[in-house]
Amino acid sequence: MNSKHLLAILALLASAATMADNGVDWESLNEEQQQVLRVFADSWAELDPERQRQLSVGAERWSQMSDAERQGARQRFGNWRKLSDQQRDTIRRRYQEFQKLPPEDQRRIRENFRRFQEISPERRQMLRDRFRDLTPEQRQRLRDRLSDRQVRPAATRD
Amino acid sequence: MPASRVCIAALLLACSQALVADEEVPDMEFLEYLGSWEGSEQDWPMFAAQPGTRNETDERIDPAPEGEESTEMNDEQ
């Protein structure tokens, strides 16, 4: 998703936020959103404001996605549907905390996750088991070393 | 090319485009899911609640705890 798309989404969210109490007027949707939401056009006015907001944001995001991004989103949605309400609540809570982090920390966490996903499932399980065997102090030292490694490039380390 | 064949071809093309368009339109539940996230929905797999949670494709969706992957790096040093 490039900066232009992000700005468009942010502008949409900002306008949506101001209309949260009164919902989202169908006429305020852009052409692409209306195209995505066309099956709901007749019943749009009867939807509650929060649902209108989520649908309008979802439609905007969908319209800006590439085919590959859409495929990934569908796959993640399929996984999301399999989660229990409790799992979803926990994920939402962690996600909100993540959103509060500085962009650099978010970038680091995403990169760590991406690297972890690239290794084999067996290796991942072995790493998890090894990590769980560490004491809390050992875990914290590991995290500190990892943070330090991110701050100082390898070439400058001792 | 006879005009009738052109018309049939155009009609078939229009129908196929309509079918493709319908296939591309996501349902309400999915759109609400997309719109329910403050940022990108791509990030939530990092916070899946239970380690070892697996879906039908046997793909793990749980993340590495912070710092866990560095044991991999230590092995290679």
Side-chain angles (χ1 to χ4, degrees), chain A residues 16 86 95 143:
Chain A
Q86 183 181 5
Y95 179 90
R143 289 190 182 102

Side-chain angles (χ1 to χ4, degrees), chain A residues 13 36-38 40 47 51 53-55 57-59 61-62 65 70 73-77 79-83 87 90-92 94-95 98-99 108-110 112-113 115-117 123-128 130-132 142-143 145-146 149, chain B residues 18 21-57 59-77:
Chain A
L13 287 173
V36 173
L37 296 168
R38 63 184 182 275
F40 311 119
L47 298 175
R51 175 162 272 185
R53 187 195 69 79
Q54 288 189 353
L55 286 172
V57 171
R61 286 176 175 167
W62 176 258
M65 285 182 181
R70 288 180 178 183
R74 284 201 182 277
Q75 186 174 12
R76 284 185 293 274
F77 177 59
N79 293 336
W80 179 257
R81 295 182 74 185
K82 297 185 178 76
L83 298 175
Q87 287 175 305
T90 300
I91 291 171
R92 293 273 189 195
R94 292 176 180 175
Y95 179 90
F98 175 77
Q99 292 297 308
R108 177 171 55 83
I109 291 171
R110 286 193 188 99
N112 287 343
F113 178 67
R115 281 165 32 200
F116 190 75
Q117 292 295 97
R123 184 68 174 165
R124 272 188 252 163
Q125 184 59 49
M126 193 197 75
L127 290 173
R128 280 197 180 84
R130 185 183 299 183
F131 187 79
R132 290 195 186 100
L142 206 56
R143 289 190 182 102
R145 280 217 307 272
L146 186 63
R149 188 173 288 126
Chain B
D22 284 341
E23 288 171 359
E24 283 296 317
V25 175
D27 61 21
M28 178 179 279
E29 186 183 2
F30 180 51
L31 288 173
E32 285 184 301
Y33 157 83
L34 286 180
S36 65
W37 300 96
E38 185 178 325
S40 170
E41 53 80 40
Q42 295 181 29
D43 289 332
W44 77 256
M46 294 192 290
F47 313 112
Q50 296 179 359
T53 300
R54 294 182 183 274
N55 57 22
E56 290 179 1
T57 62
E59 178 187 353
R60 300 185 73 133
I61 59 174
D62 51 306
E66 185 83 359
E68 183 173 292
E69 71 289 347
S70 62
T71 56
E72 169 83 4
M73 296 170 67
N74 288 339
D75 286 344
E76 295 169 358
Q77 289 179 350

Side-chain angles (χ1 to χ4, degrees), chain A residues 130-142:
Chain A
R130 185 183 299 183
F131 187 79
R132 290 195 186 100
D133 290 339
L134 298 176
T135 66
E137 292 76 21
Q138 288 174 320
R139 291 184 190 187
Q140 187 57 49
R141 279 205 297 274
L142 206 56

